[in-house]
Short mmCIF file of all heavy atoms in Angstrom, two decimals:
data_model
loop_
_atom_site.label_atom_id
_atom_site.label_comp_id
_atom_site.label_asym_id
_atom_site.label_seq_id
_atom_site.Cartn_x
_atom_site.Cartn_y
_atom_site.Cartn_z
N MET A 1 118.24 93.15 160.07
CA MET A 1 118.23 92.59 158.78
C MET A 1 118.61 93.64 157.78
O MET A 1 118.13 94.78 157.82
CB MET A 1 116.81 92.05 158.43
CG MET A 1 116.67 91.55 157.05
SD MET A 1 114.96 91.11 156.58
CE MET A 1 114.85 89.58 157.34
N ARG A 2 119.46 93.25 156.87
CA ARG A 2 119.85 94.04 155.68
C ARG A 2 119.62 93.27 154.45
O ARG A 2 119.65 92.07 154.47
CB ARG A 2 121.27 94.47 155.79
CG ARG A 2 121.58 95.47 156.84
CD ARG A 2 123.02 95.95 156.80
NE ARG A 2 123.91 95.03 156.14
CZ ARG A 2 125.19 94.80 156.47
NH1 ARG A 2 125.73 95.41 157.40
NH2 ARG A 2 125.91 93.96 155.76
N VAL A 3 119.34 94.00 153.40
CA VAL A 3 118.96 93.38 152.09
C VAL A 3 119.82 93.96 151.04
O VAL A 3 120.08 95.21 150.97
CB VAL A 3 117.46 93.58 151.75
CG1 VAL A 3 117.08 92.89 150.48
CG2 VAL A 3 116.55 93.25 152.87
N ARG A 4 120.24 93.08 150.16
CA ARG A 4 121.01 93.54 148.96
C ARG A 4 120.50 92.86 147.70
O ARG A 4 120.07 91.72 147.79
CB ARG A 4 122.53 93.21 149.14
CG ARG A 4 123.05 93.91 150.34
CD ARG A 4 124.44 94.46 150.07
NE ARG A 4 124.82 95.28 151.22
CZ ARG A 4 125.96 95.14 151.86
NH1 ARG A 4 126.81 94.22 151.47
NH2 ARG A 4 126.24 95.87 152.86
N VAL A 5 120.63 93.52 146.56
CA VAL A 5 120.33 92.95 145.28
C VAL A 5 121.61 92.98 144.48
O VAL A 5 122.23 94.04 144.30
CB VAL A 5 119.24 93.72 144.55
CG1 VAL A 5 119.04 93.15 143.12
CG2 VAL A 5 117.95 93.71 145.26
N ASP A 6 122.06 91.77 143.97
CA ASP A 6 123.27 91.74 143.17
C ASP A 6 122.89 92.13 141.76
O ASP A 6 122.18 91.39 141.03
CB ASP A 6 123.83 90.28 143.19
CG ASP A 6 125.16 90.18 142.46
OD1 ASP A 6 125.48 90.95 141.60
OD2 ASP A 6 125.91 89.25 142.91
N PRO A 7 123.46 93.27 141.31
CA PRO A 7 123.10 93.72 139.97
C PRO A 7 123.60 92.82 138.82
O PRO A 7 123.13 92.86 137.74
CB PRO A 7 123.74 95.14 139.85
CG PRO A 7 124.83 95.13 140.90
CD PRO A 7 124.35 94.18 141.97
N ARG A 8 124.62 92.03 139.11
CA ARG A 8 125.18 91.08 138.10
C ARG A 8 124.18 89.91 137.91
O ARG A 8 124.20 89.35 136.83
CB ARG A 8 126.53 90.62 138.52
CG ARG A 8 127.60 91.75 138.52
CD ARG A 8 128.85 91.26 139.14
NE ARG A 8 128.55 90.97 140.54
CZ ARG A 8 129.35 90.15 141.32
NH1 ARG A 8 130.40 89.54 140.84
NH2 ARG A 8 128.91 89.86 142.55
N LEU A 9 123.43 89.58 138.91
CA LEU A 9 122.54 88.46 138.79
C LEU A 9 121.10 88.84 138.45
O LEU A 9 120.36 88.07 137.84
CB LEU A 9 122.50 87.68 140.12
CG LEU A 9 123.86 86.95 140.56
CD1 LEU A 9 123.67 86.35 141.92
CD2 LEU A 9 124.18 85.98 139.47
N CYS A 10 120.66 90.01 138.86
CA CYS A 10 119.26 90.44 138.62
C CYS A 10 118.98 90.55 137.11
O CYS A 10 119.67 91.14 136.33
CB CYS A 10 119.02 91.81 139.29
SG CYS A 10 117.35 92.42 139.10
N GLU A 11 117.80 89.93 136.79
CA GLU A 11 117.35 89.94 135.40
C GLU A 11 116.00 90.68 135.33
O GLU A 11 115.28 90.53 134.33
CB GLU A 11 117.26 88.53 134.83
CG GLU A 11 118.58 87.88 134.63
CD GLU A 11 118.47 86.52 134.07
OE1 GLU A 11 117.37 85.92 134.08
OE2 GLU A 11 119.54 85.96 133.59
N ALA A 12 115.64 91.41 136.34
CA ALA A 12 114.43 92.26 136.36
C ALA A 12 113.14 91.46 136.16
O ALA A 12 112.20 91.93 135.53
CB ALA A 12 114.52 93.37 135.31
N HIS A 13 113.08 90.30 136.76
CA HIS A 13 111.85 89.50 136.75
C HIS A 13 110.75 90.20 137.59
O HIS A 13 109.57 89.99 137.33
CB HIS A 13 112.00 88.11 137.26
CG HIS A 13 112.89 87.28 136.37
ND1 HIS A 13 112.35 86.59 135.31
CD2 HIS A 13 114.20 87.01 136.42
CE1 HIS A 13 113.40 85.96 134.70
NE2 HIS A 13 114.48 86.19 135.35
N ALA A 14 111.17 90.97 138.55
CA ALA A 14 110.36 91.88 139.39
C ALA A 14 109.40 91.13 140.32
O ALA A 14 108.42 91.72 140.82
CB ALA A 14 109.54 92.91 138.51
N LEU A 15 109.65 89.90 140.58
CA LEU A 15 108.86 89.15 141.56
C LEU A 15 108.98 89.78 142.92
O LEU A 15 107.98 89.87 143.68
CB LEU A 15 109.27 87.65 141.65
CG LEU A 15 109.07 86.84 140.37
CD1 LEU A 15 109.59 85.45 140.55
CD2 LEU A 15 107.55 86.85 140.06
N CYS A 16 110.20 90.27 143.24
CA CYS A 16 110.37 90.96 144.53
C CYS A 16 109.50 92.20 144.69
O CYS A 16 108.95 92.50 145.71
CB CYS A 16 111.84 91.29 144.71
SG CYS A 16 112.61 92.32 143.40
N VAL A 17 109.40 92.96 143.59
CA VAL A 17 108.56 94.15 143.58
C VAL A 17 107.11 93.80 143.83
O VAL A 17 106.38 94.50 144.50
CB VAL A 17 108.77 94.94 142.31
CG1 VAL A 17 107.90 96.13 142.25
CG2 VAL A 17 110.27 95.36 142.08
N GLU A 18 106.66 92.71 143.19
CA GLU A 18 105.27 92.30 143.39
C GLU A 18 105.02 91.83 144.84
O GLU A 18 103.98 92.06 145.34
CB GLU A 18 104.98 91.10 142.42
CG GLU A 18 104.91 91.49 140.96
CD GLU A 18 104.63 90.31 140.05
OE1 GLU A 18 104.04 89.28 140.56
OE2 GLU A 18 105.02 90.39 138.91
N ILE A 19 106.02 91.13 145.41
CA ILE A 19 105.81 90.69 146.77
C ILE A 19 105.90 91.74 147.83
O ILE A 19 105.10 91.77 148.75
CB ILE A 19 106.85 89.54 147.07
CG1 ILE A 19 106.59 88.35 146.15
CG2 ILE A 19 106.86 89.11 148.53
CD1 ILE A 19 107.62 87.30 146.15
N VAL A 20 106.87 92.64 147.69
CA VAL A 20 107.03 93.63 148.73
C VAL A 20 107.52 94.98 148.11
O VAL A 20 108.65 95.31 148.18
CB VAL A 20 107.92 93.20 149.90
CG1 VAL A 20 109.34 92.83 149.46
CG2 VAL A 20 107.94 94.17 151.04
N PRO A 21 106.57 95.69 147.47
CA PRO A 21 106.93 96.89 146.81
C PRO A 21 107.39 98.08 147.74
O PRO A 21 108.02 99.01 147.27
CB PRO A 21 105.62 97.36 146.11
CG PRO A 21 104.55 96.67 146.82
CD PRO A 21 105.16 95.39 147.37
N GLU A 22 107.18 97.90 149.07
CA GLU A 22 107.64 98.84 150.00
C GLU A 22 109.17 98.84 150.11
O GLU A 22 109.78 99.76 150.59
CB GLU A 22 107.01 98.60 151.39
CG GLU A 22 105.54 98.68 151.46
CD GLU A 22 104.87 97.32 151.15
OE1 GLU A 22 105.51 96.41 150.65
OE2 GLU A 22 103.67 97.22 151.48
N VAL A 23 109.79 97.75 149.71
CA VAL A 23 111.23 97.54 149.86
C VAL A 23 111.96 97.53 148.53
O VAL A 23 113.01 98.10 148.31
CB VAL A 23 111.54 96.20 150.59
CG1 VAL A 23 113.05 95.95 150.65
CG2 VAL A 23 110.94 96.27 152.01
N PHE A 24 111.35 96.92 147.55
CA PHE A 24 111.99 96.75 146.14
C PHE A 24 111.39 97.65 145.13
O PHE A 24 110.15 97.86 145.17
CB PHE A 24 111.94 95.27 145.67
CG PHE A 24 112.65 94.32 146.62
CD1 PHE A 24 111.99 93.67 147.63
CD2 PHE A 24 114.02 94.10 146.48
CE1 PHE A 24 112.65 92.78 148.46
CE2 PHE A 24 114.69 93.25 147.32
CZ PHE A 24 113.99 92.60 148.33
N GLU A 25 112.17 98.10 144.15
CA GLU A 25 111.59 98.78 143.05
C GLU A 25 112.48 98.39 141.81
O GLU A 25 113.61 97.93 141.90
CB GLU A 25 111.65 100.30 143.30
CG GLU A 25 113.01 100.94 143.44
CD GLU A 25 112.91 102.40 143.63
OE1 GLU A 25 112.17 102.82 144.55
OE2 GLU A 25 113.58 103.12 142.95
N LEU A 26 111.84 98.62 140.66
CA LEU A 26 112.48 98.25 139.40
C LEU A 26 112.84 99.50 138.64
O LEU A 26 111.97 100.39 138.49
CB LEU A 26 111.55 97.36 138.60
CG LEU A 26 112.14 96.66 137.39
CD1 LEU A 26 113.28 95.73 137.82
CD2 LEU A 26 111.09 95.88 136.69
N GLY A 27 114.04 99.63 138.21
CA GLY A 27 114.49 100.80 137.45
C GLY A 27 115.65 100.39 136.55
O GLY A 27 116.54 99.68 136.96
N ASP A 28 115.62 100.85 135.32
CA ASP A 28 116.68 100.55 134.37
C ASP A 28 117.00 99.04 134.27
O ASP A 28 118.09 98.60 134.20
CB ASP A 28 117.98 101.32 134.73
CG ASP A 28 117.86 102.83 134.66
OD1 ASP A 28 117.07 103.28 133.86
OD2 ASP A 28 118.54 103.52 135.44
N ASP A 29 115.86 98.32 134.21
CA ASP A 29 115.98 96.85 134.03
C ASP A 29 116.76 96.20 135.09
O ASP A 29 117.37 95.09 134.87
CB ASP A 29 116.55 96.50 132.63
CG ASP A 29 115.58 96.94 131.56
OD1 ASP A 29 114.36 96.85 131.77
OD2 ASP A 29 116.10 97.25 130.47
N ILE A 30 116.71 96.67 136.36
CA ILE A 30 117.35 96.05 137.44
C ILE A 30 116.59 96.42 138.75
O ILE A 30 116.12 97.57 138.83
CB ILE A 30 118.85 96.41 137.55
CG1 ILE A 30 119.57 95.46 138.52
CG2 ILE A 30 119.01 97.83 137.98
CD1 ILE A 30 121.07 95.54 138.35
N ALA A 31 116.55 95.55 139.64
CA ALA A 31 115.84 95.78 140.96
C ALA A 31 116.81 96.48 141.92
O ALA A 31 118.05 96.20 141.87
CB ALA A 31 115.27 94.54 141.54
N SER A 32 116.31 97.37 142.70
CA SER A 32 117.08 97.95 143.82
C SER A 32 116.16 97.80 145.08
O SER A 32 114.95 97.46 144.98
CB SER A 32 117.39 99.40 143.52
OG SER A 32 116.18 100.13 143.39
N CYS A 33 116.75 98.07 146.21
CA CYS A 33 116.02 97.84 147.44
C CYS A 33 116.39 98.81 148.52
O CYS A 33 117.47 99.44 148.47
CB CYS A 33 116.17 96.43 147.89
SG CYS A 33 117.89 96.05 148.46
N GLU A 34 115.49 98.93 149.47
CA GLU A 34 115.76 99.59 150.70
C GLU A 34 116.65 98.63 151.52
O GLU A 34 116.30 97.50 151.77
CB GLU A 34 114.49 99.87 151.45
CG GLU A 34 114.56 100.10 152.91
CD GLU A 34 114.38 101.57 153.26
OE1 GLU A 34 113.67 102.24 152.46
OE2 GLU A 34 114.95 102.00 154.22
N GLU A 35 117.81 99.07 151.91
CA GLU A 35 118.79 98.18 152.54
C GLU A 35 118.38 97.72 153.93
O GLU A 35 118.73 96.58 154.29
CB GLU A 35 120.21 98.83 152.60
CG GLU A 35 121.27 97.86 153.07
CD GLU A 35 122.66 98.42 152.87
OE1 GLU A 35 122.93 99.07 151.95
OE2 GLU A 35 123.40 98.18 153.83
N THR A 36 117.69 98.52 154.65
CA THR A 36 117.27 98.15 156.03
C THR A 36 115.77 98.32 156.16
O THR A 36 115.31 99.32 156.66
CB THR A 36 118.04 99.02 157.08
OG1 THR A 36 117.82 100.39 156.80
CG2 THR A 36 119.50 98.67 157.09
N PRO A 37 115.01 97.30 155.72
CA PRO A 37 113.55 97.40 155.82
C PRO A 37 112.99 97.37 157.21
O PRO A 37 113.72 96.85 158.12
CB PRO A 37 113.09 96.18 155.03
CG PRO A 37 114.24 95.21 155.11
CD PRO A 37 115.51 96.02 155.18
N ASP A 38 111.88 97.91 157.44
CA ASP A 38 111.20 97.86 158.73
C ASP A 38 110.97 96.37 159.10
O ASP A 38 110.68 95.52 158.24
CB ASP A 38 109.85 98.61 158.63
CG ASP A 38 109.18 98.70 159.91
OD1 ASP A 38 109.58 99.60 160.70
OD2 ASP A 38 108.27 97.91 160.21
N GLU A 39 111.02 96.14 160.37
CA GLU A 39 110.83 94.78 160.90
C GLU A 39 109.50 94.13 160.50
O GLU A 39 109.46 92.98 160.33
CB GLU A 39 110.98 94.80 162.43
CG GLU A 39 110.97 93.46 163.08
CD GLU A 39 111.22 93.55 164.59
OE1 GLU A 39 111.80 94.52 165.03
OE2 GLU A 39 110.84 92.56 165.26
N SER A 40 108.49 94.95 160.34
CA SER A 40 107.20 94.45 159.97
C SER A 40 107.19 93.82 158.54
O SER A 40 106.27 93.09 158.17
CB SER A 40 106.14 95.49 160.00
OG SER A 40 106.40 96.54 159.10
N LEU A 41 108.23 94.13 157.73
CA LEU A 41 108.33 93.63 156.36
C LEU A 41 109.22 92.45 156.21
O LEU A 41 109.43 91.91 155.09
CB LEU A 41 108.73 94.78 155.43
CG LEU A 41 107.84 96.01 155.40
CD1 LEU A 41 108.49 97.11 154.63
CD2 LEU A 41 106.48 95.58 154.80
N TRP A 42 109.86 91.96 157.31
CA TRP A 42 110.89 90.95 157.15
C TRP A 42 110.37 89.64 156.53
O TRP A 42 111.03 89.06 155.68
CB TRP A 42 111.50 90.67 158.52
CG TRP A 42 112.37 91.79 159.02
CD1 TRP A 42 112.68 92.96 158.35
CD2 TRP A 42 113.13 91.76 160.21
NE1 TRP A 42 113.55 93.66 159.15
CE2 TRP A 42 113.85 92.99 160.29
CE3 TRP A 42 113.25 90.81 161.30
CZ2 TRP A 42 114.69 93.31 161.33
CZ3 TRP A 42 114.07 91.21 162.33
CH2 TRP A 42 114.78 92.41 162.37
N ARG A 43 109.25 89.21 156.89
CA ARG A 43 108.68 87.92 156.27
C ARG A 43 108.49 88.09 154.79
O ARG A 43 108.79 87.20 154.06
CB ARG A 43 107.43 87.53 156.97
CG ARG A 43 107.60 86.93 158.32
CD ARG A 43 106.31 86.40 158.90
NE ARG A 43 106.56 85.92 160.22
CZ ARG A 43 106.16 84.73 160.66
NH1 ARG A 43 105.50 83.93 159.89
NH2 ARG A 43 106.46 84.36 161.96
N SER A 44 107.99 89.23 154.42
CA SER A 44 107.82 89.52 152.96
C SER A 44 109.13 89.58 152.24
O SER A 44 109.25 89.07 151.09
CB SER A 44 106.97 90.82 152.75
OG SER A 44 105.76 90.67 153.25
N VAL A 45 110.11 90.19 152.82
CA VAL A 45 111.47 90.22 152.24
C VAL A 45 112.07 88.87 152.11
O VAL A 45 112.61 88.53 151.01
CB VAL A 45 112.40 91.17 153.09
CG1 VAL A 45 113.85 91.05 152.60
CG2 VAL A 45 111.94 92.61 152.97
N GLU A 46 111.86 88.02 153.11
CA GLU A 46 112.37 86.63 153.02
C GLU A 46 111.60 85.87 151.89
O GLU A 46 112.23 85.08 151.20
CB GLU A 46 112.21 85.92 154.37
CG GLU A 46 113.22 86.44 155.37
CD GLU A 46 113.00 85.99 156.81
OE1 GLU A 46 111.83 85.57 157.07
OE2 GLU A 46 113.94 85.94 157.51
N ALA A 47 110.33 86.16 151.72
CA ALA A 47 109.59 85.51 150.61
C ALA A 47 110.09 86.00 149.23
O ALA A 47 110.22 85.23 148.32
CB ALA A 47 108.10 85.83 150.76
N ALA A 48 110.47 87.28 149.16
CA ALA A 48 111.03 87.80 147.92
C ALA A 48 112.35 87.17 147.63
O ALA A 48 112.65 86.76 146.50
CB ALA A 48 111.18 89.30 148.03
N GLU A 49 113.17 86.97 148.64
CA GLU A 49 114.47 86.28 148.52
C GLU A 49 114.28 84.90 147.98
O GLU A 49 114.92 84.47 147.02
CB GLU A 49 115.19 86.23 149.84
CG GLU A 49 116.53 85.47 149.78
CD GLU A 49 117.19 85.30 151.16
OE1 GLU A 49 116.43 85.15 152.16
OE2 GLU A 49 118.38 85.28 151.22
N ALA A 50 113.33 84.13 148.53
CA ALA A 50 113.09 82.78 148.11
C ALA A 50 112.46 82.74 146.65
O ALA A 50 112.72 81.72 145.94
CB ALA A 50 112.12 82.16 149.07
N ALA A 51 111.73 83.70 146.32
CA ALA A 51 111.07 83.70 144.98
C ALA A 51 112.03 84.15 143.83
O ALA A 51 111.66 83.90 142.67
CB ALA A 51 109.88 84.67 145.00
N CYS A 52 113.08 84.79 144.11
CA CYS A 52 113.98 85.33 143.09
C CYS A 52 114.52 84.14 142.25
O CYS A 52 115.27 83.31 142.78
CB CYS A 52 115.08 86.16 143.64
SG CYS A 52 116.17 86.86 142.37
N PRO A 53 114.21 84.07 140.93
CA PRO A 53 114.68 83.00 140.10
C PRO A 53 116.19 82.96 139.92
O PRO A 53 116.71 81.97 139.62
CB PRO A 53 113.94 83.20 138.78
CG PRO A 53 113.50 84.54 138.79
CD PRO A 53 113.33 85.03 140.20
N ARG A 54 116.85 84.08 140.07
CA ARG A 54 118.27 84.21 139.86
C ARG A 54 119.07 84.27 141.16
O ARG A 54 120.25 84.40 141.17
CB ARG A 54 118.67 85.44 139.01
CG ARG A 54 118.11 85.39 137.63
CD ARG A 54 118.87 84.44 136.71
NE ARG A 54 120.24 84.93 136.59
CZ ARG A 54 121.33 84.20 136.57
NH1 ARG A 54 121.20 82.90 136.61
NH2 ARG A 54 122.48 84.72 136.45
N GLN A 55 118.34 84.12 142.26
CA GLN A 55 118.97 84.28 143.62
C GLN A 55 119.84 85.52 143.80
O GLN A 55 120.92 85.49 144.33
CB GLN A 55 119.70 82.96 143.93
CG GLN A 55 118.94 81.75 143.92
CD GLN A 55 119.68 80.50 144.18
OE1 GLN A 55 120.87 80.43 144.13
NE2 GLN A 55 118.96 79.40 144.45
N ALA A 56 119.27 86.66 143.24
CA ALA A 56 120.02 87.88 143.23
C ALA A 56 119.86 88.67 144.57
O ALA A 56 120.53 89.58 144.78
CB ALA A 56 119.55 88.70 142.08
N ILE A 57 118.88 88.20 145.41
CA ILE A 57 118.63 88.91 146.67
C ILE A 57 119.32 88.20 147.78
O ILE A 57 119.20 86.96 147.95
CB ILE A 57 117.08 88.95 146.94
CG1 ILE A 57 116.40 89.69 145.78
CG2 ILE A 57 116.81 89.64 148.23
CD1 ILE A 57 114.89 89.56 145.81
N THR A 58 119.97 88.94 148.60
CA THR A 58 120.69 88.40 149.76
C THR A 58 120.13 89.12 150.98
O THR A 58 120.10 90.32 151.12
CB THR A 58 122.19 88.64 149.71
OG1 THR A 58 122.69 88.02 148.52
CG2 THR A 58 122.89 88.08 150.91
N VAL A 59 119.68 88.34 151.96
CA VAL A 59 119.23 88.90 153.22
C VAL A 59 120.28 88.56 154.27
O VAL A 59 120.72 87.37 154.40
CB VAL A 59 117.86 88.20 153.67
CG1 VAL A 59 117.44 88.68 155.02
CG2 VAL A 59 116.79 88.63 152.67
N ILE A 60 120.78 89.59 154.91
CA ILE A 60 121.82 89.45 155.92
C ILE A 60 121.08 89.60 157.28
O ILE A 60 120.58 90.69 157.60
CB ILE A 60 122.94 90.49 155.75
CG1 ILE A 60 123.45 90.36 154.31
CG2 ILE A 60 123.95 90.38 156.84
CD1 ILE A 60 124.16 91.52 153.84
N ARG A 61 121.09 88.58 158.05
CA ARG A 61 120.51 88.55 159.34
C ARG A 61 121.51 88.92 160.41
O ARG A 61 122.52 88.23 160.51
CB ARG A 61 119.87 87.25 159.68
CG ARG A 61 118.61 86.94 158.79
CD ARG A 61 118.39 85.46 158.62
NE ARG A 61 117.34 85.22 157.66
CZ ARG A 61 117.43 85.15 156.33
NH1 ARG A 61 118.65 85.37 155.82
NH2 ARG A 61 116.43 84.89 155.58
N GLU A 62 121.31 90.02 161.08
CA GLU A 62 122.29 90.48 162.04
C GLU A 62 121.85 90.09 163.47
O GLU A 62 120.66 90.25 163.81
CB GLU A 62 122.46 92.02 161.96
CG GLU A 62 122.94 92.41 160.58
CD GLU A 62 122.93 93.89 160.40
OE1 GLU A 62 122.16 94.67 161.02
OE2 GLU A 62 123.74 94.37 159.55
N GLU A 63 122.73 89.65 164.19
CA GLU A 63 122.51 89.28 165.67
C GLU A 63 122.64 90.54 166.48
O GLU A 63 123.50 91.35 166.23
CB GLU A 63 123.49 88.21 166.14
CG GLU A 63 123.40 86.92 165.33
CD GLU A 63 122.10 86.19 165.50
OE1 GLU A 63 121.53 86.26 166.65
OE2 GLU A 63 121.63 85.57 164.57
N HIS A 64 121.73 90.70 167.49
CA HIS A 64 121.84 91.81 168.39
C HIS A 64 122.61 91.42 169.66
O HIS A 64 122.52 90.45 170.14
CB HIS A 64 120.46 92.36 168.71
CG HIS A 64 119.75 92.93 167.53
ND1 HIS A 64 120.14 94.08 166.98
CD2 HIS A 64 118.67 92.47 166.88
CE1 HIS A 64 119.34 94.37 165.97
NE2 HIS A 64 118.48 93.36 165.85
#
């Protein structure tokens, strides 16, 4: 799994930071993220993706 935040869409609501601060952080009024989070955090990352009001978070699921 890889994660991206689209800086053009992000409005710094910071819901992702509240849900999984181990992956997301807020800086300069925009969220950024750890691109390859630990597998133990995947469900939380998916919850953050679903919670984003601007749909700025993209989760890329990679097949092995």
Side-chain angles (χ1 to χ4, degrees):
M1 172 186 284
R2 289 188 335 215
V3 184
R4 300 223 172 127
V5 176
D6 186 333
R8 295 169 297 159
L9 294 176
C10 181
E11 293 181 343
H13 293 275
L15 296 175
C16 56
V17 177
E18 290 178 26
I19 294 170
V20 61
E22 300 90 345
V23 176
F24 296 95
E25 64 180 51
L26 193 61
D28 297 330
D29 294 328
I30 194 165
S32 61
C33 66
E34 161 105 27
E35 189 171 316
T36 54
D38 187 78
E39 187 174 337
S40 66
L41 300 171
W42 288 2
R43 284 186 184 230
S44 296
V45 169
E46 289 172 334
E49 176 188 33
C52 181
R54 295 286 296 143
Q55 299 178 346
I57 300 169
T58 302
V59 173
I60 302 159
R61 292 153 185 85
E62 298 174 334
E63 299 294 323
H64 293 291

